[in-house]
Each structure stands twice: as C-alpha cells, then as structure tokens.
Amino acid sequence: MLHVTASTRRAAAAVLATVGVVVFGWLLESVAGDWGLADLDWPVLKGLAAHRGPTATAWAQALHAGSGPVATLALAGIVAAVWAVVGRELRRPALLLGAPLVDLALVTAVRYWVERERPPAWFDAVGGTGGPAFPSVHTSVVLTLLFVALYLAYSRRESPRGLVVGVLVAGVLVMAVAASDLYLGRHWLTDIVASGALSAIVLAGAVWIDSHSRLGSDTAAADVAHPRASADT
C-alpha cells in the first residue's frame, strides 16, 4: 500500500468526519436562518435559469437521468460483483457497494428530517420534482461512490501513479452532476454543498472500517518492512 499506517488513516478519517459534521451543521443553521451561504441560493438559481439554452438543458437532463441513485447503485453493484469474483475477496467490494447505500439512506433521512422546499416550480426546467431538497441525493451518492472507489483502488498500491488524474476526473464528474442539479433548477446551492459534507462523513466511515481490516491494519505496514528486516539478518 502507499505506506500509510492504519493509525494515520484512522486519524485522517476522524478529521474528515469532523469537518463534514461541522460544515453540515453550519449549512443547516444557514438554511434555517437564511444567512451565510444561503444568501447565494437565489442569485445562483436566477443566474443559471437566465442563461439556459435547449442544448445545454438536454445535456443536463441526460446527465441528471444517468447519475440517479438507482443507476449509480446499479453500477456500484456490477463493479463490486465483478471485483468479488475476479479478485476473490468480499470485504472491499462490499465496502464499495455499502458506502453509497449508506450515503443514500443518510441523505434520505436528513431530507425528510429537514423538509426543505425545492426551488419554485417555474425554475424547474424538467418538471416532476418531488420530495424535500436538502441535500441532493444525486450529488452525494455519486461523490461517495467515486471517492470511495478511488480510496479502495489506491489503498493497496505501492505507487500513487495515476491518483491525481483519478481525483481530477472524479472531481469533474461530481461537479458536472452538481451543476446539472443547479442548472435544471432542482436544487439550491446549499443543497449541493450539504451533499459534499455528508459524503465526507460516509467516506470517513469507509476509511475507518477499511483501516481495521487485516490487509488495512498496521500488520500490513509490518509486512512492507519485512523485506528490509530480512536483508539485515
């Protein structure tokens, strides 16, 4: 693996979870009191709605449909199943599928707890918007799946080669999904940012769980050091 001990990853997970909780709490207060970042909700929505065009709207609709929770979880399930069969392991494929499932459950619970209204119907470019707005399910589930996948893919590698490209691609995809939600008038800006905060909490949980696995524990770090110990004897 990338020579990061289990204890270091647990500490990083704790920091990530703390940041997620703090940011989400701040956003919750911002939305409830209509201050802070919530002040940008209307200007962003109006600005995007004023610049809509048929081509961009069609692309946004296609991206929105393709990044729905059902499609995202189906993709996660297929990848996890292939990984489990080819790699002959269950723990990490289960974590790959389990993380977005937990994220979906968490976001859904929060949405119906907060019960924030969606943007007005006349801002919705596609119609049919239902359910509470805060946070965005699309953005959160996609973000969680992509970044948990990146963590699992690189947590056992010796080299970080390609990691930066992977992070950039994942970031662009997440921003595209988030932008489609805003462009189509289905969510407020604060809904999108709150999705990122909840995803950070779920990602932290995935890292924490993985760090307690046999291959993710400090015993793996000892295995990495073993060849040098053998050379010294």
Side-chain angles (χ1 to χ4, degrees):
M1 62 183 64
L2 297 179
H3 304 292
V4 179
T5 64
S7 57
T8 300
R9 279 181 283 147
R10 289 170 199 155
V15 171
L16 184 60
T18 301
V19 171
V21 170
V22 170
V23 171
F24 182 79
W26 172 68
L27 287 168
L28 197 59
E29 290 294 325
S30 176
V31 168
D34 198 21
W35 60 274
L37 191 64
D39 288 339
L40 297 178
D41 280 340
W42 274 107
V44 169
L45 193 66
K46 290 180 179 178
L48 289 173
H51 293 86
R52 281 182 188 151
T55 301
T57 299
W59 277 102
Q61 288 175 331
L63 181 59
H64 185 80
S67 62
V70 174
T72 302
L73 290 175
L75 175 62
I78 293 170
V79 174
V82 173
W83 187 358
V85 172
V86 175
R88 296 182 180 180
E89 62 173 311
L90 290 177
R91 182 184 295 271
R92 290 193 294 159
L95 200 54
L96 178 67
L97 177 58
L101 280 171
V102 169
D103 184 272
L104 176 60
L106 178 61
V107 171
T108 301
V110 169
R111 291 176 75 182
Y112 284 95
W113 171 53
V114 177
E115 291 189 336
R116 186 189 195 188
E117 291 185 1
R118 297 266 186 166
W122 60 82
F123 277 108
D124 192 338
V126 294
T129 299
F134 183 90
S136 165
V137 170
H138 280 69
T139 302
S140 190
V141 174
V142 168
L143 193 160
T144 296
L145 174 61
L146 290 177
F147 281 90
V148 167
L150 277 172
Y151 167 77
L152 293 174
Y154 280 90
S155 62
R156 301 294 186 269
R157 291 190 181 184
E158 291 289 339
S159 169
R161 186 176 182 179
L163 178 58
V164 173
V165 174
V167 170
L168 288 175
V169 170
V172 169
L173 288 174
V174 170
M175 287 189 290
V177 172
S180 71
D181 263 346
L182 291 172
Y183 184 82
L184 295 175
R186 301 181 67 90
H187 282 284
W188 307 97
L189 175 63
T190 41
D191 300 340
I192 303 300
V193 181
S195 299
L198 291 184
S199 290
I201 296 171
V202 176
L203 175 57
V207 174
W208 183 276
I209 292 171
D210 182 64
S211 71
H212 283 83
S213 69
R214 183 180 67 84
L215 289 176
S217 66
D218 284 325
T219 58
D223 292 339
V224 171
H226 179 71
R228 188 178 66 180
S230 299
D232 292 338
T233 57

